[in-house]
């Protein structure tokens, strides 16, 4: 009988990392590894790190050190770093953090089982030397699909697991293993980014933009529906670019209705949209397609023209407000969230006031605010007109206070409205919680339902908003709350 090998995956960072962890889990399970939830019960703890900003890097290092502390106390024998931080720093991370028994890059994912077995057996797998992954694919998007087979693209694995691991009926299982029982799951739409924002290092270690084929996205969604998933969230570094390397920049507009028609799926959500790439047709599909949430995760970052140009981005306050007006004219209750950077090099008081003018007029449902800090390897890190750290901290606190006030006001505007809530947790003590169409997982608040009678996880419930708690809503389920959302096909019949 083969020796029992156990592995735990600890995931940090964004929803894209969650997809990558589930692909690694699928590969490992297919090769006979037993997946366990707790690192202390695993022979190998695999930490899927984030390498985006300093705070995320610190969290990744802390997670690796915490996993390392388990060695010698229980079953854990090895700790391995994967993910963006491991890919970005490679040997440098391995040298700085000897507590990690292995540092594996994206190119190791296809052979993850062998890599972990080598490390578990006391062998050494040399950490990779980081490289600019943008250079691995042709400059022309139209030529990339032919080269994609030779490039490691986490989260792009086709639906091709061995027969024994596929479901008894329905679509073949993708190379993915769910790590929780949540009724919501992310689906990778694409990887990489062709934009050159001066503050962002992601393209250098995630590579150039490349789309997954629609058939793979559809098959994975069908498989997830068979696993009990009710909502899928499409993720990538830039969903508005989907299809440009497949010869059709409007491919997302045709894919969304197909995804919404998958049996069992109640809601489709699109994340990571670039304001400068928003198209009238895409807005139409997002605001009028049955079961597609009228939700806009728009990456504004700032609204002062001078700051945006220094960021290598486009737009201004008035154009952004016009975009929001266009969206709300089609779907008045559409959800909109965004992130912003304050204290960017050269940002003046007038620039900050312009950002505040935008925030006051935008009526955003969720706002993330970050203080600027240098990211090595980025253009902005070379700029001369840096602001003092105390100035950045003061501006961060000032805009964060405004953001908190504004999102609370926006939540209050929803009192009296009907919302459709996907139930995500039911607890006798804590109550019943879920999310409405304008709320993405983890980032945008939640809904507390005043009654949980007869409700279960995965149920879609119609409810009336009766109160707020900051960005969160309190809602009362309506009689016969199986009613379909106003933007769903059933409601239109």
């Amino acid at each position: 009988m083969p020796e029992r090998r156990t592995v735990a995956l600890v995931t940090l960072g964004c929803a894209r990392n969650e997809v990558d962890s589930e692909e690694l889990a699928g590969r490992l399970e297919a090769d006979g590894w037993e997946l366990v939830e707790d690192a202390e019960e695993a022979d190998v703890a695999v930490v899927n790190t984030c390498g985006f900003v300093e705070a995320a890097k610190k969290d990744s290092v802390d997670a690796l050190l915490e996993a390392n502390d388990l060695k010698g106390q229980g079953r854990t024998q090895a700790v391995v770093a994967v993910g963006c931080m491991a890919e970005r720093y490679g040997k440098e991370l391995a040298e700085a953090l000897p507590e990690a028994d292995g540092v594996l890059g994206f190119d190791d994912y296809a052979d993850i089982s062998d890599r972990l077995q080598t490390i578990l057996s006391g062998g050494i797998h040399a950490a990779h030397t980081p490289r600019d992954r943008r250079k691995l694919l042709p400059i022309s998007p139209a030529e990339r699909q032919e080269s994609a087979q030779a490039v490691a693209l986490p989260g792009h694995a086709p639906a091709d697991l061995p027969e024994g691991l596929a479901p008894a009926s329905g679509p073949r299982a993708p190379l993915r293993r769910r790590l929780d029982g949540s009724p919501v799951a992310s689906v990778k739409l694409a990887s990489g980014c062709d934009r050159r924002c001066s503050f962002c290092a992601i393209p250098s270690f995630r590579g150039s933009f490349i789309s997954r084929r629609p058939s793979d996205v559809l098959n994975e969604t069908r498989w997830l529906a068979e696993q009990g998933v009710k909502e899928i969230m499409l993720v990538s570094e830039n969903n508005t670019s989907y299809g440009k390397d497949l010869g059709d920049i409007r491919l997302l507009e045709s894919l969304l209705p197909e995804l919404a028609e998958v049996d069992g799926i109640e809601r489709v959500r699109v994340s990571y949209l670039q304001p400068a790439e928003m198209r009238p047709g895409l807005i139409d599909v997002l605001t009028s397609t049955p079961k597609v949430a009228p939700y806009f995760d728009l990456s504004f970052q700032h609204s002062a023209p001078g700051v945006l140009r220094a960021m290598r981005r486009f737009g201004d306050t008035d154009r952004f407000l016009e975009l929001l007006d266009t969206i709300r004219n089609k779907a008045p209750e559409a959800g909109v969230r965004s992130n912003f950077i304050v204290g960017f090099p050269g940002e003046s008081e007038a620039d900050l006031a312009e950002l505040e003018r935008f925030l006051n007029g935008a009526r955003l449902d969720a706002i993330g605010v970050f203080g600027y800090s240098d990211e090595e390897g980025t253009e902005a890190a070379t700029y001369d007109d840096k602001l003092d750290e105390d100035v950045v901290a003061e501006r961060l606190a000032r805009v964060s206070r405004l953001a908190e006030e504004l999102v609370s006001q926006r939540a209050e505007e929803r009192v009296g409205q009907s919302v459709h809530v996907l139930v995500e947790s039911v607890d006798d003590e804590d109550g019943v919680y879920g999310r409405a169409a304008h709320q993405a997982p983890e980032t945008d608040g939640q809904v507390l339902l005043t009654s949980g009678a007869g409700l279960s996880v995965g149920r879609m419930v119609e409810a009336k908003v009766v109160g707020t708690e900051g960005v969160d809503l309190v809602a009362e389920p309506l009689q016969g709350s199986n009613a379909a959302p106003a933007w769903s096909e059933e409601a239109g019949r």
Side-chain angles (χ1 to χ4, degrees), residues 392-435:
V392 175
E394 187 278 327
R395 292 184 179 184
L396 174 61
R398 170 178 156 184
V399 177
S400 295
R401 285 193 299 270
L402 174 63
E404 185 174 350
E405 178 182 327
L406 291 173
V407 296
S408 295
Q409 290 176 6
R410 178 63 178 138
E412 289 169 3
E413 292 178 17
R414 295 189 182 273
V415 173
Q417 296 178 1
S418 290
V419 292
H420 285 82
V421 180
L422 177 65
V423 177
E424 293 190 315
S425 67
V426 177
D427 187 276
D428 291 339
E429 293 184 7
D430 297 333
V432 179
Y433 284 89
R435 289 178 299 101

Side-chain angles (χ1 to χ4, degrees), residues 168-235:
S169 62
R172 300 266 303 160
L175 197 55
R176 177 173 180 171
R177 160 69 150 77
R178 297 218 68 207
L179 294 174
D180 62 39
S182 170
V184 60
S186 296
V187 175
K188 191 77 74 80
L189 192 63
S191 287
C193 186
D194 288 340
R195 302 184 72 85
R196 294 296 179 263
C197 300
S198 62
F199 57 84
C200 183
I202 289 176
S204 65
F205 57 85
R206 276 289 184 178
S208 298
F209 183 89
I210 186 161
S211 305
R212 289 184 76 193
R213 294 198 171 272
S215 58
D216 286 338
V217 177
L218 273 165
N219 286 338
E220 187 165 332
T221 299
R222 294 184 183 112
W223 179 80
L224 287 167
E226 283 207 345
Q227 311 307 303
V229 169
K230 300 299 181 183
E231 175 182 326
I232 63 163
M233 184 167 72
L234 300 177
V235 299

Side-chain angles (χ1 to χ4, degrees), residues 220-432:
E220 187 165 332
T221 299
R222 294 184 183 112
W223 179 80
L224 287 167
E226 283 207 345
Q227 311 307 303
V229 169
K230 300 299 181 183
E231 175 182 326
I232 63 163
M233 184 167 72
L234 300 177
V235 299
S236 76
E237 279 72 25
N238 177 11
N239 282 332
T240 32
S241 282
Y242 181 68
K244 72 176 186 179
D245 52 320
L246 293 171
D248 185 1
I249 191 59
R250 295 177 178 81
L251 194 54
L252 184 56
E253 287 94 305
S254 58
L255 177 61
L256 284 171
E258 292 186 72
L259 292 170
E261 290 176 358
V262 171
D263 287 344
I265 296 298
E266 297 290 338
R267 188 153 66 201
V268 177
R269 185 183 305 277
V270 184
S271 62
Y272 306 112
L273 301 169
Q274 287 291 339
E277 297 181 32
M278 289 302 295
R279 306 175 290 277
L282 180 55
I283 295 173
D284 287 344
V285 170
L286 287 170
T287 54
S288 65
T289 305
K291 295 189 179 180
V292 173
Y295 175 81
F296 294 80
D297 176 10
L298 293 163
S299 177
F300 289 120
Q301 301 298 346
H302 212 284
S303 72
V307 176
L308 286 168
R309 301 306 172 270
M311 290 179 169
R312 303 295 182 204
R313 297 177 66 84
F314 305 94
D316 56 47
T317 296
D318 292 333
R319 275 192 274 184
F320 290 163
L321 291 176
E322 287 174 6
L323 172 60
L324 295 178
D325 284 344
T326 298
I327 291 169
R328 289 178 175 133
N329 283 337
K330 295 178 179 295
E333 307 311 326
V336 186
R337 80 163 328 274
S338 192
N339 294 324
F340 300 88
I341 299 173
V342 297
F344 193 79
E347 181 191 62
S348 66
E349 277 290 340
D351 292 328
L352 194 66
E354 185 69 359
L355 174 58
E356 291 172 328
R357 179 170 82 89
F358 171 69
L359 291 174
N360 277 297
R363 297 169 57 231
L364 302 177
D365 292 278
I367 301 171
V369 187
F370 302 88
Y372 173 82
S373 62
D374 285 341
E375 273 296 307
E376 57 191 285
T378 64
E379 181 184 354
T382 68
Y383 289 176
D384 294 327
D385 46 356
K386 305 277 176 55
L387 304 185
D388 290 340
E389 288 185 9
D390 57 344
V391 173
V392 175
E394 187 278 327
R395 292 184 179 184
L396 174 61
R398 170 178 156 184
V399 177
S400 295
R401 285 193 299 270
L402 174 63
E404 185 174 350
E405 178 182 327
L406 291 173
V407 296
S408 295
Q409 290 176 6
R410 178 63 178 138
E412 289 169 3
E413 292 178 17
R414 295 189 182 273
V415 173
Q417 296 178 1
S418 290
V419 292
H420 285 82
V421 180
L422 177 65
V423 177
E424 293 190 315
S425 67
V426 177
D427 187 276
D428 291 339
E429 293 184 7
D430 297 333
V432 179

Side-chain angles (χ1 to χ4, degrees), residues 434-448:
R435 289 178 299 101
H438 69 281
Q439 298 169 316
E442 308 293 337
T443 59
D444 300 346
Q446 56 188 351
V447 180
L448 169 63

